[in-house]
Amino acid sequence: MEWFDPVILSRLQFAFTVMFHYIYPPLSIGLGVIIVIMEALWLKTNDPVYENMTKFWVKVFALTFALGVATGIVMEFQFGMNWSTYSRFVGDVFGSALAAEGIFAFFLESGFLAVLVFGWDKVSKKMHFFSTLMVSLGSMFSAVWIVVANSWQQTPAGYRLVMRDITSGNEVPIPEGFVATGAVIDQFQVRAEILDFWQLLFNPSSVSRILHVLGGAWLLGGFVVMSICAFYILKGRHLEFARRGFRIALILATFASLFQLFLGHLSAEVVAEHQPAKLAAMEGVFTTEDGKGTAAYLLGWPSESAGKTIGIPVPGLLSFLVHRDFNEPVTGLDRIPRDEWPMVNMTFQNYHIMVALGMLFIAVTLYSCYLWWRGTLFEKRWLMWFYVFGAILPYIANYAGWITAEVGRQPWVVYGLLRTEDGVSSSVSAGEVFASLIMFTLLYSLLFALFIYVLNKKIQHGPDDTTPALRGVHRQEELKAVLSAASSAKTKGKDNTQEASA
């Protein structure tokens, strides 16, 4: 593989910009749901603690939204700059989904954002809650349209291919088994056109992938909120704020972790039906063993050169998960042309990281719910420390899932229709892409440092005591903490006196 190549560098640049952008949208989606719950509780109870919780997390949401918008625009420019051949081929299809995202989602989200952030004293409580709800729905609708566009690349549907002679302009018949190349697209103006919008919208993988992405975002939002709340609990600050916020986030995270177990399995079934090469790479299946069930590996290391996976297999498990039959084989990579294999090891490892973390999330959230029921949740300091640093784990799981989906689709940028190497712009040199990649790296590093700095300042400052009632709650918390510390010191002093007497 030649690394200083326009195709490789364009792929690296797009992967880098997408991965940096993806820090923010899932967090916005997860925080949006939690803010809706908090503000609904404030409307219902008129409790100032819920009001304070809502206002604090709105500030974090606004910061995240701003960075998400700024970093998302860059990707759309890359479609025209680095991937012009791809854009000409799928522009009619892919562009419609992006346009719908802007019209139906982004404007909904951004239109009500000003009311959400600045309208506390300008509109009624119910109107402000409606704005909060619209912003949350807008963030989810945005994800829906983006995932629809990406899912069409994974499982194309509702389209037809059109080929025209560049000189006469007449439509030319498409040969059977046609696969587009850059030269053919340029010569015959080949493009995909929408034939049925609803088939495009509900292509075979869109629904399961949309729900899977949303579940990952809810899980991430829950863990980030629990991380900050656990930090306050360990430091003995804003205790009522932190405990209530932690419980709300725990409920969402528990639901999302169990939801992901079901949706992850559904997504894998779709992959098995429509993208057998990706499933074979995800599970390290090199050989189709007719008349024998296919094992699923708990851990492993696939070797493309040796054509086998070394690891810990569970015999017949993959056959059962895919076919509901322990003895029916799953299609291996030996049935796939060698030049259509994805990067097997990278796909396998990222898939297994995602699954392992998913099971960890189920275990830790259910255990936390049990401790909550026992009334000892916030007494487990080790668990609070886990949540403080555990916010990074849903990010790793989300990235691992995204890498599995995108690397597992290779070598296709549109599955079965257009190879990635044929979608890159022919007029862009490797040096130009490399220079822009360095520029983006420096710029995004600066933006990320700024984001962490501002977020840390907001966390260190904590929620504002905006009402006398809330200041009274915090004074009671501080008094209880002082009395508890004094009681502990008194008990320790008695113990030391008894030891000295002995």
Side-chain angles (χ1 to χ4, degrees):
M1 180 184 293
E2 181 61 48
W3 286 101
F4 203 74
D5 176 81
V7 177
I8 299 299
L9 289 173
S10 293
R11 289 178 62 185
L12 287 174
Q13 184 186 83
F14 195 79
F16 172 72
T17 53
V18 169
M19 293 180 76
F20 185 82
H21 171 68
Y22 204 65
I23 294 173
Y24 308 104
L27 182 55
S28 297
I29 294 170
L31 283 179
V33 174
I34 291 175
I35 291 170
V36 167
I37 296 172
M38 290 176 175
E39 190 164 1
L41 291 171
W42 175 42
L43 280 177
K44 181 179 179 181
T45 64
N46 205 32
D47 190 326
V49 176
Y50 290 123
E51 177 189 7
N52 205 28
M53 291 163 63
T54 306
K55 289 182 176 180
F56 175 81
W57 291 111
V58 163
K59 293 177 183 178
V60 178
F61 177 91
L63 173 64
T64 306
F65 179 84
L67 269 294
V69 172
T71 56
I73 295 174
V74 175
M75 295 184 300
E76 298 182 4
F77 282 105
Q78 288 185 55
F79 288 130
M81 294 171 62
N82 292 11
W83 302 94
S84 59
T85 305
Y86 158 81
S87 297
R88 287 198 300 274
F89 181 67
V90 302
D92 292 351
V93 178
F94 198 83
S96 64
L98 292 184
E101 189 266 339
I103 295 171
F104 299 113
F106 180 74
F107 283 127
L108 176 66
E109 186 179 12
S110 58
F112 284 96
L113 183 66
V115 180
L116 172 64
V117 178
F118 304 110
W120 292 100
D121 301 321
K122 309 292 190 302
V123 298
S124 66
K125 289 183 178 180
K126 291 183 179 179
M127 181 60 199
H128 192 276
F129 175 71
F130 178 76
S131 300
T132 305
L133 184 61
M134 290 301 101
V135 170
S136 178
L137 289 176
S139 66
M140 287 188 279
F141 288 159
S142 182
V144 166
W145 287 108
I146 296 299
V147 175
V148 163
N150 184 268
S151 296
W152 185 86
Q153 293 180 232
Q154 306 275 350
T155 52
Y159 72 97
R160 73 181 186 117
L161 293 180
V162 177
M163 180 185 293
R164 298 184 186 279
D165 189 288
I166 195 170
T167 55
S168 66
N170 296 326
E171 189 169 328
V172 179
I174 302 291
E176 186 176 352
F178 171 80
V179 175
T181 64
V184 172
I185 291 172
D186 292 337
Q187 182 179 356
F188 292 98
Q189 298 179 339
V190 183
R191 70 178 188 272
E193 293 183 347
I194 297 176
L195 192 62
D196 187 325
F197 180 77
W198 294 107
Q199 285 187 17
L200 180 154
L201 181 60
F202 295 103
N203 65 73
S205 65
S206 63
V207 175
S208 61
R209 296 182 80 239
I210 287 168
L211 295 175
H212 199 39
V213 167
L214 291 178
W218 298 336
L219 187 66
L220 173 61
F223 265 76
V224 169
V225 171
M226 286 191 291
S227 173
I228 297 174
C229 290
F231 172 77
Y232 289 145
I233 290 168
L234 289 167
K235 297 298 181 181
R237 298 171 53 197
H238 316 295
L239 293 178
E240 191 63 25
F241 168 95
R243 287 168 181 161
R244 294 192 193 184
F246 191 98
R247 295 186 190 107
I248 292 171
L250 176 60
I251 292 172
L252 180 63
T254 304
F255 167 78
S257 62
L258 296 171
F259 185 69
Q260 287 293 75
L261 181 64
F262 167 74
L263 263 301
H265 176 67
L266 181 62
S267 295
E269 288 184 328
V270 173
V271 170
E273 181 178 356
H274 297 277
Q275 296 175 294
K278 180 191 288 189
L279 180 72
M282 287 162 56
E283 298 288 357
V285 181
F286 286 94
T287 306
T288 308
E289 301 187 36
D290 294 326
K292 183 180 179 182
T294 305
Y297 286 88
L298 300 180
L299 296 170
W301 188 267
S303 172
E304 294 185 38
S305 58
K308 64 179 181 179
T309 299
I310 301 172
I312 305 175
V314 179
L317 180 59
L318 185 59
S319 293
F320 177 76
L321 292 175
V322 173
H323 302 299
R324 305 292 189 276
D325 185 345
F326 284 101
N327 297 314
E328 186 173 348
V330 173
T331 301
L333 290 167
D334 59 335
R335 301 287 174 88
I336 309 295
R338 185 64 180 83
D339 63 346
E340 295 182 12
W341 286 19
M343 298 175 69
V344 179
N345 205 352
M346 181 179 291
T347 306
F348 178 93
Q349 302 301 343
N350 278 280
Y351 172 70
H352 281 73
I353 289 171
M354 178 187 66
V355 172
L357 287 175
M359 301 309 295
L360 173 63
F361 297 146
I362 292 174
V364 74
T365 54
L366 288 178
Y367 176 65
S368 299
C369 288
Y370 169 74
L371 294 177
W372 179 11
W373 175 69
R374 290 289 303 272
T376 59
L377 174 60
F378 302 119
E379 297 175 9
K380 306 293 184 181
R381 292 184 64 85
W382 67 268
L383 185 60
M384 293 296 104
W385 278 115
F386 169 82
Y387 278 112
V388 167
F389 296 103
I392 192 65
L393 297 179
Y395 269 117
I396 295 174
N398 275 280
Y399 281 129
W402 177 77
I403 293 171
T404 300
E406 299 307 303
V407 174
R409 184 186 64 204
Q410 300 302 320
W412 305 101
V413 65
V414 181
Y415 198 79
L417 295 179
L418 179 67
R419 290 177 180 266
T420 304
E421 62 185 14
D422 290 315
V424 74
S425 300
S426 57
S427 60
V428 178
S429 67
E432 291 170 331
V433 181
F434 182 73
S436 59
L437 176 58
I438 296 299
M439 181 190 68
F440 281 133
T441 302
L442 295 175
L443 178 61
Y444 280 5
S445 298
L446 179 63
L447 285 175
F448 184 70
L450 181 63
F451 171 74
I452 294 298
Y453 172 76
V454 176
L455 180 61
N456 182 64
K457 283 197 68 173
K458 291 185 180 297
I459 294 172
Q460 294 296 335
H461 178 272
D464 296 321
D465 298 342
T466 55
T467 65
L470 193 57
R471 287 194 290 271
V473 170
H474 287 164
R475 280 197 296 268
Q476 290 178 9
E477 291 177 357
E478 293 170 1
L479 181 59
K480 288 180 180 178
V482 170
L483 292 175
S484 177
S487 177
S488 299
K490 185 177 180 180
T491 303
K492 186 177 181 180
K494 287 182 177 180
D495 292 341
N496 290 339
T497 301
Q498 291 175 357
E499 290 177 3
S501 299

